[in-house]
Amino acid sequence: MRAAKHPVIVRDMKIRAVLLVLFVVALTVVGFLTHRAGIIGDRSWVMAGDPLPEGVGPPRFRDSIDGFGLHIIKIGHPSLLDQQLKLMKRAPVAPGPTPLHFGYSILETDILGMPFVPRSEYGHVIYYETPEEFVIAPATDDYLRQIHIPSKPLSAWGFGWWRHLWGWLFVIAALGIVWFELGALRRKRDALGLI
């Protein structure tokens, strides 16, 4: 009875409830919106760079990428949001292929719908994407010069790797909750006068 009324213990109980609710809500939102593997899995992805300038490259360059490039299927389950929209018959109209872009091909390890470990798969690429796949042609500086595509050196390109690492925020949050619980246990023992 004394423990239930002590202000430090009451405060810790409220903080615990808020932290757990926030953590569960965040995991639910991720599960609802993600296209990544539900438990654990790898997926191929292309990190987007700048679009290629209009009219550069050999004639029918896009057709040659389509015919001789790599077709990477976008593997992943439809998000719960996509499933709900489909059930409501309000799914958006699928867009056509995107313009040609520079990009960087990665293989991403996902756990519980969150990305944790991105690593290079095909490296620098020229690609376009459809709702179902990426169509890529591996690129080197020499290749770009040969087909007359102006570009800064590929080694100078930077990509948003953080977009494929944010799952670690949930690990940090879980460790923060454990740290809070250890502190709450110490504060409870102090409040009750236990050794």
Side-chain angles (χ1 to χ4, degrees), residues 47-48 158-165:
M47 294 190 293
F159 295 95
W161 288 91
W162 63 270
R163 293 180 184 142
H164 304 277
L165 289 167

Side-chain angles (χ1 to χ4, degrees), residues 104-177:
Y104 196 85
S105 170
I106 62 167
L107 189 64
E108 175 188 271
T109 299
D110 306 316
I111 302 170
L112 298 177
M114 297 174 281
F116 280 87
V117 182
R119 53 204 182 279
S120 179
E121 187 171 26
Y122 299 107
H124 292 280
V125 295
I126 295 173
Y127 78 100
Y128 71 86
E129 101 181 81
T130 69
E132 296 81 31
E133 66 181 353
F134 292 102
V135 182
I136 68 170
T140 63
D141 290 322
D142 188 45
Y143 173 71
L144 295 177
R145 276 191 299 275
Q146 288 176 13
I147 60 174
H148 308 291
I149 294 181
S151 174
K152 61 185 175 183
L154 292 176
S155 59
W157 284 90
F159 295 95
W161 288 91
W162 63 270
R163 293 180 184 142
H164 304 277
L165 289 167
W166 57 264
W168 291 103
L169 293 175
F170 281 82
V171 173
I172 293 168
L175 290 174
I177 291 172

Side-chain angles (χ1 to χ4, degrees), residues 9 11 16 47 54 61 68 98 113 136 155 158 173-174:
I9 296 172
R11 183 201 67 201
R16 176 181 298 116
M47 294 190 293
E54 283 292 323
F61 183 46
F68 299 106
T98 60
I136 68 170
S155 59

Side-chain angles (χ1 to χ4, degrees), residues 49-53 99-102 157:
D50 292 340
L52 262 65
L100 290 175
H101 278 76
F102 292 107
W157 284 90

